Amino acid sequence: MVSGFENFDNVFEDIFKQKSDEINEQLTRKLIISMVGDVNCGKSSTINRLMKEDIVSVGAKPGETKEIKEIAYRENIIFVDTPGLDDVIKTNSDITLKYYKNSDVILFFLNAAGTVLSESELKNLKEIEKVNQDIIIVLNKIDAADEIPELIKYIQDHTDYNYPVAPISSRTGENISFLQNKLMDVLEKKSKDILLATNLKDKASIANRWIIGAGGSSAAVGALPIPGSDFVPLISIQVGLIIKLSTLYNKPVSKENAKELIIATVIGNIGKTVFRQIVKVIPGAGSVIGASVAGATTVALGYAIKYMHENDIELNADQLKSVYEMFLSQQKKA
């Protein structure tokens, strides 16, 4: 082991176990996503768009949805489709509010082509927020409406800017990725983001989100560790990123291979200049990590692992070096 990193093996073992246990525990939890809104506001079609799969039947007519419907997706994810707002207020309100209380996130649907945030909708929102404030307001059918920025501001003004507003079109798919990001924001705080992410078809955008986030966290840690410095914070971030990305792509990484990747990146002689060059070919990375070498190494490592998973390349130090060299070659051509 390189001088100054004599405790690396023991530290790595502890970190790898801790991060693996955290992720495995998250995957055993139950995730409940509730949807509320008038019939034909696009609840079902939105979920189908989000998951890129026909999970919920669409086309309900007014008055049809009078009971709460639990739609089980995979083993641990449940979508809850509630009655229309008028039905919620008149019947089953106690039962429905109990579902909202137990939900991890509530998608509150509004119809951009209708009366946005009517008196009854605002009343219902205020009832829901008494039991759960993890709410995302979904402004659907923006393809059939005008002046969307004005509608968003109207919603924000009348809800005191308490909740994110996601303007989408479940028919065309516009802004579905924006809604996905808002969902991930809420679920990250509850340590349930990996559970949803592993079931999303859009792996690349989730991976990019995690990589840039880890790069920012690494930049906050400080400079790349040198012998004698505290390398634990950076190693912890990078090990966590490796395991998360491998879980996302359903390609488990062994402890030995993960150690190889960390050693090659942090302790090895690939060099600071290499990472500063690599990061130039990664969109958006520079603004996040600034001049931090620790941030650059984390981002470069993350994108290399993402590339390797997407192209079925075995995770080991030799392959990692080849991917880094490919990134550098691309940067020189650019």
Side-chain angles (χ1 to χ4, degrees):
M1 183 59 61
V2 178
S3 176
F5 291 96
E6 290 81 4
N7 295 325
F8 177 83
D9 286 342
N10 291 336
V11 169
F12 179 87
E13 293 269 345
D14 291 342
I15 292 174
F16 189 88
K17 184 179 186 307
Q18 177 192 346
K19 295 299 180 181
S20 296
D21 288 347
E22 288 175 0
I23 291 173
N24 290 333
E25 193 273 333
Q26 182 178 150
L27 295 175
T28 65
R29 297 178 183 176
K30 180 178 290 186
L31 173 61
I32 301 176
I33 299 175
S34 285
M35 305 173 288
V36 59
D38 286 320
V39 173
N40 289 335
C41 64
K43 292 177 288 182
S44 300
S45 55
T46 296
I47 294 303
N48 292 342
R49 275 280 186 182
L50 179 70
M51 306 306 293
K52 295 186 178 179
E53 193 172 337
D54 290 333
I55 299 171
V56 192
S57 60
V58 298
K61 297 178 181 179
E64 279 188 1
T65 309
K66 292 186 177 181
E67 296 181 355
I68 299 165
K69 293 182 180 179
E70 286 191 5
I71 301 103
Y73 179 70
R74 300 292 189 263
E75 185 176 351
N76 296 69
I77 300 177
I78 297 174
F79 293 101
V80 181
D81 190 4
T82 69
L85 291 174
D86 290 337
D87 292 326
V88 168
I89 294 170
K90 294 175 182 176
T91 62
N92 296 331
S93 59
D94 290 341
I95 297 173
T96 305
L97 287 172
K98 185 177 180 180
Y99 268 90
Y100 294 148
K101 183 178 181 179
N102 296 327
S103 296
D104 293 292
V105 60
I106 297 165
L107 301 181
F108 191 93
F109 282 80
L110 299 175
N111 184 351
T115 302
V116 175
L117 203 60
S118 64
E119 183 178 343
S120 64
E121 287 173 329
L122 185 56
K123 178 181 178 181
N124 198 63
L125 178 62
K126 289 184 180 298
E127 287 298 313
I128 292 171
E129 67 183 5
K130 290 177 183 178
V131 297
N132 193 335
Q133 296 184 356
D134 290 316
I135 300 169
I136 299 173
I137 297 176
V138 183
L139 181 63
N140 195 14
K141 303 190 178 183
I142 60 173
D143 58 303
D146 298 318
E147 301 179 342
I148 301 304
E150 288 79 1
L151 289 178
I152 294 172
K153 187 176 187 305
Y154 177 83
I155 295 167
Q156 292 174 327
D157 287 343
H158 286 77
T159 57
D160 298 323
Y161 290 75
N162 287 331
Y163 310 109
V165 179
I168 68 161
S169 169
S170 59
R171 187 182 70 84
T172 67
E174 184 179 356
N175 270 3
I176 290 295
S177 60
F178 181 82
L179 173 59
Q180 175 179 293
N181 280 329
K182 293 304 175 184
L183 267 169
M184 295 296 288
D185 286 342
V186 175
L187 295 178
E188 278 181 0
K189 297 175 184 177
K190 300 189 170 194
S191 296
K192 290 191 175 183
D193 56 313
I194 299 175
L195 180 57
L196 179 64
T198 54
N199 287 284
L200 291 172
K201 302 295 189 295
D202 186 8
K203 307 292 187 188
S205 65
I206 297 295
N208 293 345
R209 174 191 177 93
W210 287 347
I211 293 166
I212 297 300
S217 297
S218 297
V221 166
L224 186 72
I226 59 175
S229 68
D230 182 9
F231 57 88
V232 173
L234 179 60
I235 299 299
S236 182
I237 293 169
Q238 293 188 346
V239 169
L241 180 60
I242 291 173
I243 299 174
K244 283 176 71 174
L245 291 174
S246 297
T247 302
L248 177 68
Y249 287 97
N250 194 26
K251 295 181 178 179
V253 59
S254 71
K255 181 170 59 179
E256 290 72 23
N257 283 353
K259 185 187 293 185
E260 278 187 33
L261 301 178
I262 295 294
I263 290 174
T265 301
V266 178
I267 303 176
N269 56 5
I270 294 176
K272 298 177 181 180
T273 303
V274 172
F275 291 105
R276 286 199 173 114
Q277 294 299 319
I278 289 174
V279 83
K280 293 178 182 177
V281 302
I282 301 172
S287 61
V288 173
I289 63 171
S292 165
V293 178
T297 60
T298 301
V299 169
L301 175 64
Y303 273 96
I305 291 172
K306 174 177 179 281
Y307 179 87
M308 292 162 79
H309 281 321
E310 290 177 345
N311 291 275
D312 294 319
I313 299 172
E314 183 182 354
L315 293 188
N316 60 53
D318 289 338
Q319 297 287 9
L320 180 68
K321 183 178 179 181
S322 297
V323 173
Y324 284 154
E325 289 172 349
M326 180 194 70
F327 284 169
L328 285 173
S329 176
Q330 291 175 349
Q331 191 274 328
K332 289 177 181 178
K333 289 179 181 179

